[in-house]
Amino acid sequence: MLSAGRMVTGCGGRETADGAVFVDKGVIAAAGPRAAVEAQAGPAVPRLAFPEGTLLPGLIDTHVHLALDAGPDPVKTLQAATDTELYPGMAERARRLLATGGDHRAQPR
């Protein structure tokens, strides 16, 4: 369970002071005021508190930089490449990204 001094949810940016998120088997099971979420999580669930932080439950950053490779200086490589050199690498990285498939929910670590 994660808790923070502030939690922002939904498209409208609804704020909850002293919010928490309970993740069960990689899926958000509860999000809301800390006291309510703690009651659902039970006492055996590990807790991480970030009193000065902000939780954004469900926010998934799905943007990628297909033009950047994994080399030691991807920006330099990008700047030096022609379109003809760049496009095949971008296509390959897109293919690899799409091939990951499967369950994209958060997984416990």
Side-chain angles (χ1 to χ4, degrees):
M1 190 187 91
L2 303 170
S3 65
R6 181 174 82 138
M7 181 173 67
V8 179
T9 60
C11 295
R14 191 176 75 233
E15 290 190 27
T16 301
D18 195 23
V21 177
F22 170 42
V23 179
D24 186 25
K25 297 180 183 122
V27 177
I28 294 175
R34 183 180 50 80
V37 175
E38 280 185 336
Q40 281 189 267
V45 172
R47 287 160 165 71
L48 295 173
F50 302 94
E52 302 300 317
T54 300
L55 292 172
L56 303 168
L59 176 69
I60 300 170
D61 181 358
T62 60
H63 88 278
V64 296
H65 297 272
L66 295 174
L68 301 178
D69 67 13
D73 192 345
V75 174
K76 184 177 179 181
T77 302
L78 172 62
Q79 290 171 334
T82 66
D83 289 350
T84 304
E85 296 166 332
L86 187 61
Y87 293 155
M90 291 174 67
E92 177 56 27
R93 287 186 280 282
R95 274 192 291 280
R96 288 182 18 220
L97 179 65
L98 291 170
T100 60
D103 187 350
H104 294 290
R105 293 177 296 179
Q107 297 298 313
R109 295 177 185 221

